[in-house]
Amino acid sequence: MITLSFLFGWCCQTLAQTVCDPSALDSLLGCMTRVVSTTRRMVQEKVYLHFDNTGYFMGEKMWFTAYVVRADGHRPGVRSRVLYVELLNPSGDVVQRRKLKIDGRGHAHGDLSLDSLYGAGFYEVRAFTRYMSNWGGAACFSRVFPVFRTPPAPGAYEPVMDERSYRRRLPDFREADTLQRSRLNVSFYPEGGRLVSGLRSRVAFQVSDGGGRHVQAEGELLDGSGRVVCRGSSDSTGRGVFTVPSSCDGLRFRLRDARGRIKEFPLPDPSSEGCVLELPPCFDDSLRFSVRGTASYRDRLLGYMLMNYGRVWTCDTFRVGSGYHKSYLRDSLPEGVNQLTVFDGSGRILCERLFFLFPKPSPSDTIGIMSETSRLTPCGKVRLRLRSVPGSVFSFSAMDGGTVFNGCGPSVKSWMLLSSEVKGYIDNVGYYFESDDSVHRRASDLLMLVQGWRRYDWEELSGYRPRSPEEWHPVEDSLYVTGRLRSVKKSLPVDGIPLKAYVYSGGSHLDGEMLTDSLGRYAFSLPDVWGEWNLQLKAGVKKLKSRYLLTVDRRFGPPARRLSPYECRALPVLPSDLPLLPDTMEFDTLPLLSLSERLHKLPEVAVKAKRRFTDGARAAWATEKRGQYWADVYYDCDEETERYLDEGKEIPTFLGWLQERNPFVSGNLYGMDDSFSTDVVLNNSSHFSIEDLRETTAPTSVRYKGRSIMWILDNQFYDCDTVLLSYADKNKVRREIDDFPSFLDEAKAVYITEAPNAFWSYFPFVDLVKKVDAVTCFVYSHWTSRRRMEKGVRRTYFQGYNVPSTFEMPDYSLMPPAEDFRRTLYWNPDVRTDGKGEAIIEFYNNSSCREIRVSVEGVTPDGRCIFNE
C-alpha cells in the first residue's frame, strides 16, 4: 500500500528521472496525493448481517447479527455507532425499522418481527449507517428472503406464498427499470468505460428477456454495410464479450436466441478522442494491461492508479505512445476486487475497470464443528465443540433441517470480498470462490465488466468533481437530533435563531439549547437512550405571526432498489454435513406432552354489573383488528404525517394524500374541477373556509383500480359509490361530513383490501351485498378536530436504540418432553472462543427434528471472514 511519505519521495525521484512538462507532472502528482489523502480521511464502511435462517414464515422472528467494518481491509474500527436495519415488503415499502447500537468491535444484534405482515412474498432486509447513505443504496447491505404463509396448524410447515401477485396487488415503489425491456434485450459495457473512434476495444454484453432473466444467445457484430465483423455468444448467465475493430462505423449487434428470434441493437456512440484500456483474463501467474490512445493523447503524460477496497496500492505516470503495456505478478497484487483507473492531470477519468483476483483459502478462515452428541432425540440435549481463531467472536445458528425450504445465500466472505463491490445481485456468488482455474477466471472477468460498480468515485476523490458539503451525511458517532428551521417566506431569517430541544419519557427528560447556523440547521447530541421518547423543538422566533417549519432529519434511507428475478426465488437446499443421526426408535416411541395438555383454561365468571358505555367502549369497538384481518395494504397515518413535516411540507388533505401515496386511487377527489388544489384553499381564506373544504373532501366518487370503494370509518359503514347510492336507500348511509378525516393528521390508520366480501357485514343494503364488486377501505380516525400547529414548535418523537429481544428455548432438563415446533433450535449472536480457540455450544432439540443445519459466521479483528463450510 502506498503511503503519503512514499508518494512524495517517489515524486522527487520521478522528477529527476523523467524529462517532461513539470506542470503536467505536478498536476498528476497532485491528483494522486488528493486521492491518497481523501481515502484515508473518508474511509467508507461496510455492514454484513448474519441471520438465523434462510427463509421464514409469517409470525416468526428474524434474528440477526451485524458486522460493521472499514471498507479498506474489513477490519473493525468504524466511527459510526448507530446502525439502521429495515424490512421492506415486495413493493418496496419499509414495514419495520430497527435502530441498533454498534459496539467497539463493530458488532450489533437484533431481531425483526414477522407477525404484523399483510401477505407472504419476498421481503428485503437492508442495513446501513447514516454515513453509508452518502454513496447510495449500492453501499448498503441488502438480502431478500422468502416469507411463507403462516402454518395452518402448529408445526405444519409448508412453503406456500400468496397466490395473488404483489405486482398486481400493491403499487410498485422500487426504483424504475432503466432498461426499456422487450422480449429480447441487450446492454453493452465497453471495457474501460467507453468506445473511442479508431481504437480496438473489447465490449462485454448482457442479454435478458422482458422479465430481466438471463438469455443464452448467439450474436454477430455488423458494420454499416451489413458485413459480419465478429461474433459473440452469451453464456448461461447471459454474459458475453466481443471485440470491436478499430475502423468501423454504424456498428450494430444482431442477436438470435434459442427460439430463433432475431433482433438488432446499435452500439453506444464512440468518442472522437480518448484512451481505451484492455485487461484480458490471464491464465498464468501474471496480470497484464495495456492502454492505447488517439493522436492527441499519445505524447501526453498520464497517470494510472490501482486501488483495492479503497486503499491505494500503487500508482505511476506513463506516456501512451504507440501503446503502453504493464504487467504484474498476480501474487504481488492484493486479492479480491481491484480498481484500475487511468486519468489525466485534471483528475478526469480516461478509462477504468474492475478486476477480481481469487482470494486464496486458508484453514484459519474455517470454523470447525465437532459434535459431542452421537444421536438426536426428541427434546434431547445437543452439545457441539467449535474451533476457530483464539479470541474470535462470531454468531451461531442451529436450524431444524426438515423445515429449511430455502438454500444458503451469500456468506460473510462472499459479501465482504465480492457482492458489496459490484452492482446488482450476483446469482450463485459462491461459484467465484470455488476455484482459480481458467473457467472461473473468465467468469469473474465477465462479472467485473458487466456489474462492476465503483464503490469509490475516483473523480470525486481527485477533486475533478467535488461534492457539495450540503449533500454530505455526517458520521453518527452517537445519537443525534438534527434538522433545519425553514421559513415559508424567503425574507424571514433562519440563521442565529435560538432553538430549544426537550426529550422526555416517563420521569426522565433531557434538554438543550443552541443557535441555528446560516442555513437554519441545528444538531443536538444525546446520550444513549433506549426506546421511543417524546421530542419537542421550539424556535425563539420574534415574528410569531410568521410561519416557520421545523424539520427533523430521519428520512435518509436509500430508495428501494429494483430486485432481480433471481433473488426472488427459493434456492435449492443442500444436504447437511453435521454428523448427527436421529434415534429413530426414540422418535417413534417417546411420549410427548401436547400443547393442549400444557394449557389451563380459567373458569368462566358471570358478571352482573351493568355495562357503562364510555370512550373506552368506543375505542374497543373501533379497534384496528378488524381492518388488520382483511388488509392487503396498511398505512400508518401518524408516520405519514411525520414524513411530510420532516420534509418541511404542509399536511395534505386526507384524500389527496391517499391518491399521491397509492396510484391505484383515482377519481375527482374533491368534487371540483382539476384546477382545485389544497394550496388554493389554505392560501385564499377569503374564498374558501375549512367547512367548505370538508364539504369538498367527501369520498363520493373515488375509485380503486376502477372499482367502487366501500368506506368503513371506525368500523362503521360510512360511504360508497354515488352510482350505487342512486339505487339504494341513502338514509341508511352514515355521511356526516365532519366525521370523515379532512386532513391526513386527523386519520390514524388506513387498511385496504380487495377481498370481495370484506364489507358484507357492514353493508346496510342486504339485497345488493353480493352484487357489488368493490374494494373495502377501513379508515380509523383520531376522533378529534384538526390539531392546531403552534408556530415555530414541533412536537414529534425520537427513536432511541431498539432493545434486542432475547432468544428463548425450553429447558428440558427441568420439564418433560413436549410438542415443540421451533424451526430455529438455537441462536447465539455473541459466541467467543477461549485461548485455545474453542467454544462449547449446548441447546435442546425440538420434538421432531431429525437433521440439524448449522450456520456460523464472523469477522476477526484483523479483517478475516470466518465461517463454517
Side-chain angles (χ1 to χ4, degrees), residues 624-674:
E624 296 180 29
K625 290 184 178 180
R626 293 170 177 255
Q628 292 173 354
Y629 175 81
W630 292 102
D632 294 328
V633 182
Y634 162 67
Y635 297 122
D636 183 338
C637 295
D638 290 336
E639 181 64 18
E640 291 288 314
T641 299
E642 294 294 338
R643 178 172 64 86
Y644 276 89
L645 295 176
D646 286 344
E647 296 173 356
K649 299 178 180 178
E650 290 280 357
I651 299 175
T653 60
F654 174 76
L655 293 176
W657 158 79
L658 188 60
Q659 186 178 38
E660 178 186 357
R661 189 68 173 83
N662 193 319
F664 293 151
V665 178
S666 62
N668 188 354
L669 301 183
Y670 307 104
M672 303 182 70
D673 58 33
D674 296 336

Short mmCIF file of all heavy atoms in Angstrom, two decimals, residues 624-674:
data_model
loop_
_atom_site.label_atom_id
_atom_site.label_comp_id
_atom_site.label_asym_id
_atom_site.label_seq_id
_atom_site.Cartn_x
_atom_site.Cartn_y
_atom_site.Cartn_z
N GLU A 624 -58.49 -1.61 15.59
CA GLU A 624 -57.99 -1.80 14.23
C GLU A 624 -57.87 -3.26 13.83
O GLU A 624 -57.49 -3.56 12.70
CB GLU A 624 -56.63 -1.11 14.09
CG GLU A 624 -56.70 0.39 14.25
CD GLU A 624 -55.33 1.04 14.09
OE1 GLU A 624 -54.50 0.48 13.35
OE2 GLU A 624 -55.09 2.09 14.71
N LYS A 625 -58.16 -4.17 14.73
CA LYS A 625 -58.01 -5.59 14.41
C LYS A 625 -58.93 -6.02 13.26
O LYS A 625 -58.62 -6.93 12.51
CB LYS A 625 -58.30 -6.43 15.65
CG LYS A 625 -57.23 -6.31 16.72
CD LYS A 625 -57.50 -7.24 17.89
CE LYS A 625 -56.38 -7.14 18.93
NZ LYS A 625 -56.62 -8.03 20.08
N ARG A 626 -60.06 -5.34 13.13
CA ARG A 626 -60.97 -5.68 12.03
C ARG A 626 -60.33 -5.35 10.69
O ARG A 626 -60.39 -6.13 9.74
CB ARG A 626 -62.30 -4.93 12.20
CG ARG A 626 -63.09 -5.38 13.41
CD ARG A 626 -64.27 -4.46 13.69
NE ARG A 626 -65.07 -4.94 14.80
CZ ARG A 626 -66.26 -5.52 14.67
NH1 ARG A 626 -66.78 -5.70 13.48
NH2 ARG A 626 -66.92 -5.93 15.74
N GLY A 627 -59.73 -4.17 10.59
CA GLY A 627 -59.05 -3.82 9.36
C GLY A 627 -57.82 -4.67 9.12
O GLY A 627 -57.51 -5.04 7.99
N GLN A 628 -57.08 -4.98 10.19
CA GLN A 628 -55.89 -5.79 10.07
C GLN A 628 -56.20 -7.18 9.54
O GLN A 628 -55.42 -7.77 8.80
CB GLN A 628 -55.19 -5.90 11.43
CG GLN A 628 -54.58 -4.59 11.93
CD GLN A 628 -54.06 -4.71 13.34
OE1 GLN A 628 -54.25 -5.73 14.00
NE2 GLN A 628 -53.45 -3.64 13.83
N TYR A 629 -57.36 -7.70 9.92
CA TYR A 629 -57.73 -9.06 9.49
C TYR A 629 -57.83 -9.15 7.97
O TYR A 629 -57.42 -10.15 7.36
CB TYR A 629 -59.05 -9.46 10.15
CG TYR A 629 -59.58 -10.79 9.68
CD1 TYR A 629 -59.07 -11.97 10.21
CD2 TYR A 629 -60.58 -10.87 8.71
CE1 TYR A 629 -59.55 -13.20 9.78
CE2 TYR A 629 -61.06 -12.09 8.27
CZ TYR A 629 -60.54 -13.25 8.81
OH TYR A 629 -61.01 -14.47 8.37
N TRP A 630 -58.37 -8.11 7.35
CA TRP A 630 -58.60 -8.15 5.91
C TRP A 630 -57.47 -7.54 5.09
O TRP A 630 -57.38 -7.77 3.88
CB TRP A 630 -59.89 -7.37 5.57
CG TRP A 630 -61.15 -8.02 6.08
CD1 TRP A 630 -61.87 -7.65 7.17
CD2 TRP A 630 -61.82 -9.13 5.49
NE1 TRP A 630 -62.96 -8.47 7.31
CE2 TRP A 630 -62.96 -9.38 6.28
CE3 TRP A 630 -61.59 -9.93 4.37
CZ2 TRP A 630 -63.85 -10.41 6.00
CZ3 TRP A 630 -62.47 -10.95 4.08
CH2 TRP A 630 -63.58 -11.19 4.89
N ALA A 631 -56.59 -6.78 5.71
CA ALA A 631 -55.73 -5.85 4.98
C ALA A 631 -54.79 -6.51 3.99
O ALA A 631 -54.15 -7.52 4.28
CB ALA A 631 -54.92 -5.01 5.96
N ASP A 632 -54.72 -5.92 2.78
CA ASP A 632 -53.64 -6.17 1.82
C ASP A 632 -52.62 -5.03 1.88
O ASP A 632 -51.44 -5.23 1.62
CB ASP A 632 -54.19 -6.25 0.39
CG ASP A 632 -55.10 -7.46 0.20
OD1 ASP A 632 -54.85 -8.48 0.84
OD2 ASP A 632 -56.06 -7.36 -0.58
N VAL A 633 -53.12 -3.82 2.20
CA VAL A 633 -52.29 -2.63 2.26
C VAL A 633 -52.57 -1.92 3.58
O VAL A 633 -53.72 -1.81 3.99
CB VAL A 633 -52.59 -1.66 1.09
CG1 VAL A 633 -51.68 -0.45 1.15
CG2 VAL A 633 -52.44 -2.38 -0.24
N TYR A 634 -51.49 -1.47 4.24
CA TYR A 634 -51.64 -0.76 5.51
C TYR A 634 -50.81 0.52 5.47
O TYR A 634 -49.67 0.52 5.00
CB TYR A 634 -51.16 -1.64 6.67
CG TYR A 634 -50.87 -0.86 7.94
CD1 TYR A 634 -51.89 -0.23 8.65
CD2 TYR A 634 -49.57 -0.76 8.42
CE1 TYR A 634 -51.62 0.48 9.80
CE2 TYR A 634 -49.29 -0.06 9.58
CZ TYR A 634 -50.32 0.56 10.27
OH TYR A 634 -50.04 1.27 11.40
N TYR A 635 -51.40 1.62 5.96
CA TYR A 635 -50.69 2.90 6.07
C TYR A 635 -50.85 3.43 7.49
O TYR A 635 -51.97 3.53 8.00
CB TYR A 635 -51.23 3.92 5.08
CG TYR A 635 -51.05 3.53 3.64
CD1 TYR A 635 -52.15 3.42 2.78
CD2 TYR A 635 -49.79 3.27 3.12
CE1 TYR A 635 -51.99 3.07 1.45
CE2 TYR A 635 -49.62 2.91 1.79
CZ TYR A 635 -50.72 2.80 0.97
OH TYR A 635 -50.55 2.44 -0.34
N ASP A 636 -49.71 3.75 8.10
CA ASP A 636 -49.70 4.41 9.41
C ASP A 636 -49.79 5.91 9.15
O ASP A 636 -48.81 6.54 8.75
CB ASP A 636 -48.42 4.04 10.16
CG ASP A 636 -48.37 4.62 11.56
OD1 ASP A 636 -49.08 5.61 11.83
OD2 ASP A 636 -47.60 4.09 12.39
N CYS A 637 -50.95 6.50 9.36
CA CYS A 637 -51.16 7.91 9.01
C CYS A 637 -50.36 8.85 9.89
O CYS A 637 -49.96 9.93 9.45
CB CYS A 637 -52.65 8.25 9.07
SG CYS A 637 -53.63 7.36 7.85
N ASP A 638 -50.13 8.46 11.15
CA ASP A 638 -49.30 9.30 12.01
C ASP A 638 -47.87 9.36 11.48
O ASP A 638 -47.25 10.43 11.45
CB ASP A 638 -49.31 8.76 13.44
CG ASP A 638 -50.66 8.94 14.11
OD1 ASP A 638 -51.41 9.85 13.68
OD2 ASP A 638 -50.97 8.19 15.05
N GLU A 639 -47.35 8.23 11.05
CA GLU A 639 -45.99 8.21 10.49
C GLU A 639 -45.95 8.95 9.17
O GLU A 639 -44.96 9.63 8.86
CB GLU A 639 -45.53 6.76 10.31
CG GLU A 639 -44.14 6.60 9.76
CD GLU A 639 -43.05 7.13 10.68
OE1 GLU A 639 -43.33 7.31 11.89
OE2 GLU A 639 -41.93 7.38 10.20
N GLU A 640 -47.00 8.84 8.37
CA GLU A 640 -47.06 9.57 7.11
C GLU A 640 -47.09 11.08 7.36
O GLU A 640 -46.47 11.86 6.63
CB GLU A 640 -48.29 9.14 6.32
CG GLU A 640 -48.24 7.71 5.79
CD GLU A 640 -47.28 7.57 4.65
OE1 GLU A 640 -47.28 8.41 3.74
OE2 GLU A 640 -46.49 6.61 4.65
N THR A 641 -47.81 11.50 8.39
CA THR A 641 -47.85 12.92 8.74
C THR A 641 -46.46 13.42 9.14
O THR A 641 -46.03 14.49 8.71
CB THR A 641 -48.84 13.15 9.89
OG1 THR A 641 -50.15 12.75 9.48
CG2 THR A 641 -48.87 14.62 10.28
N GLU A 642 -45.77 12.61 9.94
CA GLU A 642 -44.41 13.00 10.35
C GLU A 642 -43.48 13.09 9.14
O GLU A 642 -42.58 13.94 9.11
CB GLU A 642 -43.86 11.98 11.36
CG GLU A 642 -44.60 11.94 12.69
CD GLU A 642 -44.44 13.23 13.47
OE1 GLU A 642 -43.47 13.97 13.22
OE2 GLU A 642 -45.29 13.51 14.33
N ARG A 643 -43.70 12.26 8.15
CA ARG A 643 -42.86 12.31 6.96
C ARG A 643 -43.01 13.64 6.24
O ARG A 643 -42.03 14.24 5.80
CB ARG A 643 -43.21 11.14 6.03
CG ARG A 643 -42.42 11.13 4.72
CD ARG A 643 -42.69 9.86 3.96
NE ARG A 643 -44.07 9.74 3.55
CZ ARG A 643 -44.57 10.25 2.43
NH1 ARG A 643 -43.79 10.93 1.61
NH2 ARG A 643 -45.84 10.08 2.12
N TYR A 644 -44.24 14.12 6.11
CA TYR A 644 -44.45 15.42 5.47
C TYR A 644 -43.81 16.53 6.26
O TYR A 644 -43.17 17.43 5.70
CB TYR A 644 -45.96 15.69 5.32
CG TYR A 644 -46.56 15.07 4.09
CD1 TYR A 644 -47.07 13.78 4.12
CD2 TYR A 644 -46.61 15.77 2.89
CE1 TYR A 644 -47.62 13.20 2.98
CE2 TYR A 644 -47.16 15.19 1.75
CZ TYR A 644 -47.67 13.91 1.81
OH TYR A 644 -48.20 13.34 0.69
N LEU A 645 -43.97 16.50 7.59
CA LEU A 645 -43.39 17.55 8.42
C LEU A 645 -41.86 17.48 8.41
O LEU A 645 -41.18 18.51 8.43
CB LEU A 645 -43.92 17.43 9.84
CG LEU A 645 -45.42 17.67 10.01
CD1 LEU A 645 -45.86 17.41 11.44
CD2 LEU A 645 -45.81 19.07 9.57
N ASP A 646 -41.30 16.27 8.36
CA ASP A 646 -39.84 16.13 8.30
C ASP A 646 -39.28 16.72 7.01
O ASP A 646 -38.14 17.18 6.97
CB ASP A 646 -39.45 14.65 8.38
CG ASP A 646 -39.62 14.09 9.78
OD1 ASP A 646 -39.74 14.89 10.72
OD2 ASP A 646 -39.63 12.85 9.94
N GLU A 647 -40.07 16.70 5.95
CA GLU A 647 -39.64 17.25 4.67
C GLU A 647 -39.98 18.72 4.52
O GLU A 647 -39.75 19.31 3.46
CB GLU A 647 -40.28 16.45 3.53
CG GLU A 647 -39.82 14.99 3.49
CD GLU A 647 -40.60 14.18 2.47
OE1 GLU A 647 -41.55 14.74 1.86
OE2 GLU A 647 -40.28 12.99 2.28
N GLY A 648 -40.55 19.33 5.57
CA GLY A 648 -40.88 20.76 5.53
C GLY A 648 -42.09 21.06 4.67
O GLY A 648 -42.19 22.17 4.12
N LYS A 649 -43.04 20.14 4.57
CA LYS A 649 -44.22 20.33 3.74
C LYS A 649 -45.45 20.49 4.60
O LYS A 649 -45.49 20.06 5.75
CB LYS A 649 -44.41 19.12 2.80
CG LYS A 649 -43.26 18.88 1.84
CD LYS A 649 -43.52 17.65 0.99
CE LYS A 649 -42.39 17.38 0.03
NZ LYS A 649 -42.62 16.14 -0.77
N GLU A 650 -46.47 21.13 4.02
CA GLU A 650 -47.76 21.26 4.69
C GLU A 650 -48.45 19.89 4.74
O GLU A 650 -48.26 19.05 3.87
CB GLU A 650 -48.65 22.25 3.95
CG GLU A 650 -48.19 23.70 4.07
CD GLU A 650 -48.59 24.32 5.39
OE1 GLU A 650 -49.28 23.65 6.19
OE2 GLU A 650 -48.23 25.47 5.64
N ILE A 651 -49.25 19.69 5.79
CA ILE A 651 -50.01 18.45 5.90
C ILE A 651 -51.09 18.44 4.82
O ILE A 651 -51.90 19.37 4.73
CB ILE A 651 -50.64 18.33 7.30
CG1 ILE A 651 -49.55 18.30 8.36
CG2 ILE A 651 -51.52 17.09 7.39
CD1 ILE A 651 -50.06 18.31 9.77
N PRO A 652 -51.15 17.42 3.97
CA PRO A 652 -52.10 17.41 2.86
C PRO A 652 -53.50 16.99 3.31
O PRO A 652 -53.69 16.52 4.44
CB PRO A 652 -51.50 16.38 1.91
CG PRO A 652 -50.82 15.41 2.83
CD PRO A 652 -50.28 16.23 3.98
N THR A 653 -54.46 17.16 2.44
CA THR A 653 -55.79 16.61 2.69
C THR A 653 -55.70 15.09 2.67
O THR A 653 -54.82 14.49 2.06
CB THR A 653 -56.79 17.08 1.62
OG1 THR A 653 -56.34 16.64 0.35
CG2 THR A 653 -56.93 18.58 1.64
N PHE A 654 -56.62 14.45 3.36
CA PHE A 654 -56.56 13.00 3.50
C PHE A 654 -56.67 12.30 2.15
O PHE A 654 -55.86 11.43 1.81
CB PHE A 654 -57.67 12.53 4.44
CG PHE A 654 -57.78 11.04 4.54
CD1 PHE A 654 -56.86 10.32 5.28
CD2 PHE A 654 -58.77 10.35 3.86
CE1 PHE A 654 -56.93 8.93 5.36
CE2 PHE A 654 -58.87 8.97 3.93
CZ PHE A 654 -57.95 8.26 4.69
N LEU A 655 -57.67 12.67 1.36
CA LEU A 655 -57.87 12.00 0.08
C LEU A 655 -56.79 12.38 -0.92
O LEU A 655 -56.39 11.57 -1.76
CB LEU A 655 -59.25 12.32 -0.48
CG LEU A 655 -60.42 11.74 0.32
CD1 LEU A 655 -61.74 12.20 -0.26
CD2 LEU A 655 -60.36 10.22 0.36
N GLY A 656 -56.29 13.61 -0.83
CA GLY A 656 -55.18 13.99 -1.70
C GLY A 656 -53.93 13.19 -1.40
O GLY A 656 -53.20 12.78 -2.30
N TRP A 657 -53.67 12.97 -0.10
CA TRP A 657 -52.53 12.13 0.29
C TRP A 657 -52.71 10.70 -0.20
O TRP A 657 -51.77 10.08 -0.70
CB TRP A 657 -52.39 12.13 1.81
CG TRP A 657 -51.63 10.95 2.31
CD1 TRP A 657 -50.29 10.77 2.31
CD2 TRP A 657 -52.19 9.74 2.84
NE1 TRP A 657 -49.96 9.53 2.81
CE2 TRP A 657 -51.12 8.88 3.14
CE3 TRP A 657 -53.51 9.30 3.09
CZ2 TRP A 657 -51.31 7.61 3.69
CZ3 TRP A 657 -53.69 8.04 3.63
CH2 TRP A 657 -52.61 7.21 3.92
N LEU A 658 -53.92 10.17 -0.05
CA LEU A 658 -54.16 8.78 -0.44
C LEU A 658 -53.91 8.57 -1.93
O LEU A 658 -53.34 7.55 -2.34
CB LEU A 658 -55.59 8.38 -0.07
CG LEU A 658 -55.93 6.89 -0.24
CD1 LEU A 658 -55.01 6.02 0.61
CD2 LEU A 658 -57.39 6.63 0.12
N GLN A 659 -54.31 9.53 -2.75
CA GLN A 659 -54.07 9.41 -4.18
C GLN A 659 -52.58 9.53 -4.50
O GLN A 659 -52.07 8.81 -5.37
CB GLN A 659 -54.85 10.46 -4.96
CG GLN A 659 -54.74 10.28 -6.47
CD GLN A 659 -55.56 11.30 -7.23
OE1 GLN A 659 -55.63 12.45 -6.84
NE2 GLN A 659 -56.18 10.87 -8.31
N GLU A 660 -51.86 10.39 -3.79
CA GLU A 660 -50.42 10.52 -4.01
C GLU A 660 -49.68 9.28 -3.52
O GLU A 660 -48.74 8.81 -4.16
CB GLU A 660 -49.89 11.75 -3.28
CG GLU A 660 -48.39 11.94 -3.41
CD GLU A 660 -47.88 13.08 -2.56
OE1 GLU A 660 -48.71 13.75 -1.91
OE2 GLU A 660 -46.66 13.28 -2.53
N ARG A 661 -50.13 8.72 -2.42
CA ARG A 661 -49.45 7.56 -1.82
C ARG A 661 -49.71 6.28 -2.58
O ARG A 661 -48.84 5.42 -2.67
CB ARG A 661 -49.93 7.40 -0.37
CG ARG A 661 -49.16 6.37 0.45
CD ARG A 661 -47.76 6.84 0.69
NE ARG A 661 -47.05 5.95 1.60
CZ ARG A 661 -46.44 4.82 1.25
NH1 ARG A 661 -46.48 4.42 -0.02
NH2 ARG A 661 -45.79 4.10 2.14
N ASN A 662 -50.90 6.15 -3.14
CA ASN A 662 -51.29 4.92 -3.83
C ASN A 662 -51.83 5.26 -5.21
O ASN A 662 -52.94 5.77 -5.34
CB ASN A 662 -52.35 4.17 -3.02
CG ASN A 662 -52.56 2.76 -3.51
OD1 ASN A 662 -52.58 2.49 -4.71
ND2 ASN A 662 -52.72 1.82 -2.58
N PRO A 663 -51.06 5.01 -6.27
CA PRO A 663 -51.50 5.39 -7.62
C PRO A 663 -52.71 4.61 -8.11
O PRO A 663 -53.28 4.97 -9.13
CB PRO A 663 -50.27 5.10 -8.48
CG PRO A 663 -49.46 4.12 -7.71
CD PRO A 663 -49.70 4.42 -6.26
N PHE A 664 -53.13 3.58 -7.38
CA PHE A 664 -54.34 2.85 -7.77
C PHE A 664 -55.61 3.65 -7.44
O PHE A 664 -56.69 3.33 -7.93
CB PHE A 664 -54.41 1.49 -7.07
CG PHE A 664 -53.35 0.53 -7.51
CD1 PHE A 664 -52.87 -0.45 -6.65
CD2 PHE A 664 -52.83 0.59 -8.80
CE1 PHE A 664 -51.90 -1.34 -7.06
CE2 PHE A 664 -51.86 -0.31 -9.22
CZ PHE A 664 -51.38 -1.28 -8.36
N VAL A 665 -55.48 4.67 -6.57
CA VAL A 665 -56.63 5.50 -6.20
C VAL A 665 -56.78 6.59 -7.25
O VAL A 665 -55.83 7.30 -7.58
CB VAL A 665 -56.44 6.12 -4.81
CG1 VAL A 665 -57.61 7.01 -4.45
CG2 VAL A 665 -56.25 5.03 -3.76
N SER A 666 -57.98 6.76 -7.77
CA SER A 666 -58.22 7.75 -8.81
C SER A 666 -59.61 8.35 -8.62
O SER A 666 -60.39 7.92 -7.77
CB SER A 666 -58.09 7.11 -10.20
OG SER A 666 -59.06 6.09 -10.36
N GLY A 667 -59.90 9.33 -9.47
CA GLY A 667 -61.21 9.97 -9.42
C GLY A 667 -61.09 11.42 -9.04
O GLY A 667 -60.02 11.92 -8.65
N ASN A 668 -62.20 12.16 -9.15
CA ASN A 668 -62.25 13.55 -8.76
C ASN A 668 -62.43 13.61 -7.25
O ASN A 668 -63.54 13.52 -6.73
CB ASN A 668 -63.41 14.25 -9.47
CG ASN A 668 -63.39 15.75 -9.24
OD1 ASN A 668 -62.59 16.25 -8.47
ND2 ASN A 668 -64.28 16.44 -9.91
N LEU A 669 -61.31 13.70 -6.54
CA LEU A 669 -61.34 13.52 -5.10
C LEU A 669 -62.10 14.60 -4.36
O LEU A 669 -62.56 14.41 -3.25
CB LEU A 669 -59.90 13.47 -4.56
CG LEU A 669 -59.01 12.37 -5.13
CD1 LEU A 669 -57.65 12.42 -4.46
CD2 LEU A 669 -59.64 11.01 -4.94
N TYR A 670 -62.22 15.79 -4.96
CA TYR A 670 -62.77 16.92 -4.23
C TYR A 670 -64.11 17.40 -4.77
O TYR A 670 -64.60 18.43 -4.35
CB TYR A 670 -61.76 18.07 -4.24
CG TYR A 670 -60.42 17.64 -3.76
CD1 TYR A 670 -59.37 17.42 -4.65
CD2 TYR A 670 -60.19 17.43 -2.41
CE1 TYR A 670 -58.13 17.01 -4.20
CE2 TYR A 670 -58.96 17.02 -1.94
CZ TYR A 670 -57.94 16.82 -2.85
OH TYR A 670 -56.72 16.41 -2.41
N GLY A 671 -64.66 16.69 -5.71
CA GLY A 671 -65.92 17.12 -6.25
C GLY A 671 -65.84 18.43 -6.99
O GLY A 671 -66.81 19.15 -7.13
N MET A 672 -64.62 18.82 -7.44
CA MET A 672 -64.41 20.09 -8.12
C MET A 672 -63.62 19.82 -9.39
O MET A 672 -63.28 18.69 -9.71
CB MET A 672 -63.66 21.06 -7.20
CG MET A 672 -64.37 21.31 -5.86
SD MET A 672 -63.51 22.49 -4.84
CE MET A 672 -63.81 23.99 -5.75
N ASP A 673 -63.31 20.87 -10.12
CA ASP A 673 -62.57 20.68 -11.36
C ASP A 673 -61.10 20.38 -11.05
O ASP A 673 -60.64 20.45 -9.93
CB ASP A 673 -62.70 21.90 -12.27
CG ASP A 673 -62.21 23.17 -11.58
OD1 ASP A 673 -61.28 23.09 -10.77
OD2 ASP A 673 -62.78 24.25 -11.88
N ASP A 674 -60.37 20.03 -12.09
CA ASP A 674 -58.99 19.59 -11.93
C ASP A 674 -58.07 20.70 -11.44
O ASP A 674 -56.97 20.44 -10.96
CB ASP A 674 -58.44 19.04 -13.26
CG ASP A 674 -59.18 17.79 -13.68
OD1 ASP A 674 -59.75 17.14 -12.79
OD2 ASP A 674 -59.20 17.49 -14.89
#
